[in-house]
Amino acid sequence: MVQRQSFEGTGRDLDRQRIAALEKQASLGDVIQTIPKDCFRISPAKAWARLVVNVLLVVLGYAALALNPWWWLLPALWIFTGTALTGFFVIAHDCGHRSFSTRRRINDIVGHVMLLPLLYPFHGWRIKHNQHHTFTNQIEMDNAWRPMSVAEYRALSPGVRAGYRFARGIGWWFASAVHQLNLHFKPSLFKPKDRADIRLSSTAVIAFACVLFPALLWMGGPWAVIQFWLMPWLVYHFWMSTFTLVHHTHPDIPFYPAATWTPVTGQLFSTIHCVYPAWVEFLCHDINVHIPHHVSTAIPSYNLRKAHTALKAHWSDYMHETEFSWSLMRSITRECHLRDETGYYLPCREVD
């Protein structure tokens, strides 16, 4: 049994004590050992059942959009359909971590198919995302919401500064779309051994788009593109941006230089469990039960809650939990922009 720690202090000083105690007490392997073995077991029945239910819900959303006679109901239908499409991403997310199926080919095929409606290239996303998992909250290597240093920010032109402030502020909800376009389609950003996979996924997305958009235009003109693709896609990116931002952003969780970063600090201490409304948790397959997923990507999404309960029984002193609210988003988007010399957040307004 893990011995409980006693901590004294407030805010960042208290969390520095926790980081030091955690790194002295355990490695990431020790943490993984406290998760029941059956949490790592892949269940084809559960995986395929979730996929089928998710597909039916997306079909239901599109059918409702096609048959709906009331303009005022459109926002609710877009929110439902876009959130259900976020579930497609989570299934592909399991595929990318090889936790949907024990067979690599099935993971690759399902991952590609699930991401096509979102115009996401599977291999381009998978490889960059695994880099985030390998180096979570490491300054030099993490590629997800890594804050700029004060010096980097001051070196930007005024226009680029404004864009950065927008992406970390009120425009956070669209930042994942920019991330998608900038990182996942360019073979030159990947190692030579991965570039054939990147071209394959990018070609699949481009081919799908060349069928999708002409078909929508033929069926209903520009409004069909807006109604059936653009609006659900924007809802998806709202959730994608929100989930990924909240997963690792907190005033008391720093980014660490490689010299002091450790896997157990990055994956256990620096990952946040956030509770969302039940309908979001259901449609998005519990992706925000996120700490066990960072402790081990081998845990399928349907086992995350059981794994989280086990982690809390042993490591609750080192785990961060919160609940989704607009006040939470306001706090993050107002305060968590740049990193100071110690790796902690500070707002842009303090250096502008």
Side-chain angles (χ1 to χ4, degrees):
M1 177 63 69
V2 175
Q3 184 178 0
R4 292 291 181 188
Q5 302 288 319
S6 295
F7 300 103
E8 295 182 1
T10 57
R12 293 175 180 178
D13 288 338
L14 175 58
D15 280 304
R16 287 189 180 98
Q17 292 181 45
R18 287 182 173 138
I19 292 170
L22 174 61
E23 292 174 348
K24 182 178 179 180
Q25 186 177 6
S27 67
L28 185 61
D30 296 325
V31 176
I32 292 172
Q33 289 298 315
T34 61
I35 300 174
K37 294 294 186 286
D38 60 347
C39 289
F40 300 89
R41 188 171 300 124
I42 293 173
S43 167
K46 290 180 180 178
W48 286 103
R50 281 195 166 197
L51 185 150
V52 170
V53 169
N54 203 155
V55 169
L56 291 175
L57 289 169
V58 169
V59 170
L60 175 64
Y62 280 121
L65 283 170
L67 300 174
N68 167 52
W70 302 295
W71 65 267
W72 50 264
L73 192 56
L74 282 173
L77 294 177
W78 285 329
I79 290 170
F80 172 82
T81 306
T83 308
L85 283 169
T86 309
F88 275 20
F89 178 86
V90 179
I91 290 172
H93 180 258
D94 272 14
C95 293
H97 290 299
R98 312 307 188 191
S99 61
F100 179 85
S101 171
T102 56
R103 297 175 62 185
R104 179 180 293 270
R105 185 175 296 274
I106 290 178
N107 283 314
D108 285 349
I109 293 172
V110 173
H112 275 88
V113 172
M114 290 291 100
L115 290 187
L116 284 178
L118 304 168
L119 301 187
Y120 240 101
F122 174 70
H123 285 309
W125 163 79
R126 175 182 63 82
I127 294 167
K128 287 297 183 183
H129 181 66
N130 283 332
Q131 178 179 333
H132 159 65
H133 271 274
T134 304
F135 301 103
T136 303
N137 277 49
Q138 189 190 109
I139 290 171
E140 292 83 354
M141 294 296 293
D142 196 354
N143 56 24
W145 292 103
R146 178 177 58 190
M148 285 187 180
S149 68
V150 173
E152 290 170 333
Y153 177 73
R154 285 176 170 162
L156 299 176
S157 67
V160 178
R161 278 196 198 185
Y164 181 83
R165 288 195 302 270
F166 178 76
R168 303 284 315 201
I170 61 173
W172 95 89
W173 61 274
F174 192 66
S176 65
V178 178
H179 188 268
Q180 171 183 346
L181 294 172
N182 282 343
L183 283 184
H184 300 135
F185 284 93
K186 301 175 182 177
S188 61
L189 297 178
F190 296 82
K191 296 177 180 178
K193 68 181 180 66
D194 295 321
R195 289 174 185 170
D197 284 342
I198 305 309
R199 293 188 183 97
L200 171 66
S201 295
S202 298
T203 300
V205 168
I206 293 168
F208 182 82
C210 288
V211 174
L212 172 67
F213 293 118
L216 288 174
L217 289 169
W218 177 78
M219 290 171 55
W223 174 244
V225 176
I226 295 170
Q227 181 180 10
F228 294 109
W229 182 78
L230 179 62
M231 298 309 295
W233 182 78
L234 289 175
V235 171
Y236 157 72
H237 273 294
F238 167 84
W239 288 123
M240 184 71 168
S241 297
T242 301
F243 291 167
T244 55
L245 178 61
V246 173
H247 281 164
H248 303 283
T249 306
H250 186 282
D252 294 332
I253 294 178
F255 267 67
Y256 313 88
T260 61
W261 179 89
T262 65
V264 70
T265 302
Q267 312 302 356
L268 180 68
F269 182 86
S270 302
T271 304
I272 297 169
H273 172 83
C274 185
V275 178
Y276 287 78
W279 66 274
V280 176
E281 303 271 19
F282 172 73
L283 290 175
C284 298
H285 307 300
D286 294 329
I287 189 58
N288 295 296
V289 184
H290 207 60
I291 298 174
H293 173 63
H294 263 266
V295 169
S296 175
T297 58
I299 302 172
S301 57
Y302 43 81
N303 290 332
L304 290 174
R305 290 195 178 275
K306 182 175 181 179
H308 183 78
T309 299
L311 289 175
K312 284 192 70 174
H314 294 88
W315 310 100
S316 61
D317 285 343
Y318 311 106
M319 294 167 65
H320 290 84
E321 298 190 1
T322 189
E323 184 172 348
F324 175 76
S325 67
W326 294 113
S327 62
L328 171 68
M329 298 312 301
R330 184 167 59 250
S331 175
I332 289 175
T333 57
R334 280 180 54 84
E335 304 299 329
C336 298
H337 301 154
L338 305 170
R339 67 176 192 271
D340 63 17
E341 65 280 359
T342 66
Y344 285 93
Y345 287 103
L346 74 163
C348 288
R349 63 179 180 273
E350 291 192 7
V351 300
D352 280 333

